[in-house]
Amino acid sequence: MKFSIYRYNPDTDAKPRMQDYQLDIEAGDMMLLDALLLLKEQDESLSFRRSCREGVCGSDAMNINGFNGLACITPLSSLKQPIALRPLPGLPVVRDLIVDMEQFYRQYRSIKPFLINDEPAPEIERLQSPEDRAELDGLYECILCACCSTSCPSFWWNPDKFVGPAGLLQAYRFIADSRDKATRERLDDLEDPYRLFRCHGIMNCVAACPKELNPTEAIGRIKDLLVRRTV
Amino acid sequence: MVKRTVVGAGYGLRDWLMQRVTAVVMALYSLLFVFLLLTRPPEGYAEWRGLFAPEWMKLASLLFALSLMLHAWVGVRDILMDYVRPAGLRLALQSAAILALVAYAAWAVQILWSL
């Protein structure tokens, strides 16, 4: 099985290169991450992040044959050879397949990803009706792997100003939460030519999301709320 | 001067909405125009002139032209915001785009009402 993997160590390499690897294995029901772990036995210097190995932690997001995805839930048998692995596009490379996610997290932090509610806290917990809880389906499942934001050209061009699909999905997750009381402030913050309206609806984020979430729809709902409070 | 990333201009919704409304106007006018061409195919200069002779046709065409200008403004501004990094150059190009579109709109009026 043939691999072509992006290698770059900023401390020693003048520029990145693609390195070929070979593994004598049958794809079977192996996932790409399993193959990467075998490759790391061959070449200890090969660097990548991984943790839960079952698509929950989001740390092994990478660009696989041109598409962003999680190595741990991508079946080897679904990939055309040579399998080209690159770091997530648009973010600074720390080493090989490891990128610096700071810009991504900064945008996530900027939408205040926590419940804002200054009403007195009840005895036990803030209850939600099953209908209100259902509003969060398709939003809370996001694992912040950055597959979507790093496949978005608007995020490539303006990562410092555009919140990006992951951040906007989370922004809507808190707007949609019946326990959150800061809808007005959240909408004020997003009504901005850069923070929200850099999204041109090309839906790369929807195609990339390994959890099959729909950031474009969430962005559409934010715009819908903005329209409804304006007209 | 400090180099700081600044956001929070607090607009964008109106432009985004305007782009959608003007798109509908242009789509409706395009359908009307195709319908007119199919039902009364103009054969020469006189027929083409006749097509634009009624006042309602002039007004509909003007609405189309204005929609096109507003639609183009939002689209061109988006492209400039995405791709042109220096703010000064962006301002200059956006100003040039506005001036050109205003001139085109005036030109459209002149053409329509000189027919």
Side-chain angles (χ1 to χ4, degrees):
Chain A
M1 203 157 232
K2 287 190 173 72
F3 295 82
S4 173
I5 301 180
Y6 179 102
R7 300 301 310 271
Y8 182 50
N9 179 352
D11 292 337
T12 55
D13 303 341
K15 56 178 191 183
R17 67 201 151 85
M18 296 301 285
Q19 187 174 334
D20 291 334
Y21 288 93
Q22 183 112 23
L23 267 185
D24 290 325
I25 50 165
E26 288 297 318
D29 52 3
M30 280 174 84
M31 296 293 169
L32 175 59
L33 180 62
D34 301 321
L36 271 171
L37 291 169
L38 290 175
L39 286 172
K40 195 167 170 72
E41 282 175 20
Q42 261 183 40
D43 177 356
E44 283 187 333
S45 69
L46 176 63
S47 308
F48 53 90
R49 287 196 183 105
R50 84 274 182 274
S51 180
C52 78
R53 58 105 186 93
E54 56 185 12
V56 176
C57 72
S59 40
D60 65 351
M62 56 187 69
N63 189 275
I64 306 160
N65 279 350
F67 295 94
N68 291 352
L70 300 178
C72 56
I73 54 170
T74 302
L76 268 185
S77 56
S78 70
L79 298 171
K80 233 182 98 193
Q81 295 186 46
I83 299 167
L85 301 178
R86 292 184 173 83
L88 289 176
L91 294 176
V93 175
V94 176
R95 184 163 171 164
D96 299 345
L97 301 176
I98 299 174
V99 290
D100 178 359
M101 306 263 285
E102 180 52 31
Q103 212 134 40
F104 174 79
Y105 291 138
R106 196 176 293 145
Q107 290 300 348
Y108 175 59
R109 279 199 295 275
S110 79
I111 60 101
K112 300 199 170 122
F114 42 82
L115 287 177
I116 299 175
N117 187 333
D118 53 12
E119 290 169 7
E123 200 76 18
I124 309 175
E125 65 217 348
R126 297 184 198 278
L127 292 175
Q128 272 189 310
S129 70
E131 294 76 34
D132 285 341
R133 167 61 189 76
E135 291 290 329
L136 306 182
D137 287 338
L139 304 170
Y140 78 91
E141 298 94 329
C142 172
I143 57 173
L144 296 175
C145 64
C147 281
C148 60
S149 290
T150 58
S151 69
C152 172
S154 286
F155 190 75
W156 296 339
W157 313 149
N158 289 293
D160 51 344
K161 295 177 179 172
F162 176 47
V163 175
L168 290 170
L169 183 90
Q170 287 311 298
Y172 183 66
R173 180 247 171 276
F174 287 96
I175 290 170
D177 196 311
S178 62
R179 298 164 296 179
D180 188 274
K181 301 298 173 199
T183 304
R184 184 189 158 161
E185 291 78 5
R186 291 183 189 281
L187 290 180
D188 284 346
D189 170 58
L190 291 175
E191 186 165 356
D192 185 89
Y194 280 100
R195 284 179 62 70
L196 173 67
F197 288 101
R198 282 307 84 212
C199 170
H200 306 315
I202 65 161
M203 298 176 83
N204 269 17
C205 51
V206 184
C209 181
K211 307 297 279 186
E212 296 182 359
L213 306 179
N214 192 331
T216 306
E217 189 186 353
I219 292 166
R221 292 195 181 172
I222 294 171
K223 286 173 176 170
D224 186 65
L225 286 171
L226 285 172
V227 170
R228 280 202 275 145
R229 80 164 185 175
T230 304
V231 296
Chain B
M1 205 183 115
V2 287
K3 285 229 171 215
R4 191 170 292 161
T5 302
V6 280
V7 288
Y11 72 95
L13 177 69
R14 184 175 296 184
D15 299 336
W16 175 78
L17 205 52
M18 185 166 73
Q19 201 174 35
R20 260 119 204 101
V21 173
T22 52
V24 172
V25 173
M26 288 191 289
L28 291 176
Y29 181 88
S30 302
L31 287 175
L32 170 77
F33 201 74
V34 169
F35 174 77
L36 289 176
L37 287 188
L38 289 177
T39 50
R40 289 184 297 173
E43 276 160 21
Y45 179 71
E47 284 92 345
W48 276 104
R49 234 184 108 129
L51 185 62
F52 287 93
E55 204 67 16
W56 66 264
M57 187 59 187
K58 288 195 201 312
L59 286 172
S61 304
L62 179 65
L63 284 181
F64 170 80
L66 293 178
S67 293
L68 180 64
M69 302 312 154
L70 292 171
H71 194 90
W73 159 239
V74 180
V76 169
R77 199 202 60 196
D78 273 344
I79 294 169
L80 296 175
M81 286 171 88
D82 281 346
Y83 297 107
V84 180
R85 310 309 300 177
L89 180 60
R90 205 158 59 231
L91 176 64
L93 290 172
Q94 291 190 3
S95 305
I98 292 179
L99 293 174
L101 290 170
V102 169
Y104 291 153
W107 194 8
V109 171
Q110 194 258 328
I111 291 170
L112 283 168
W113 269 272
S114 66
L115 283 171

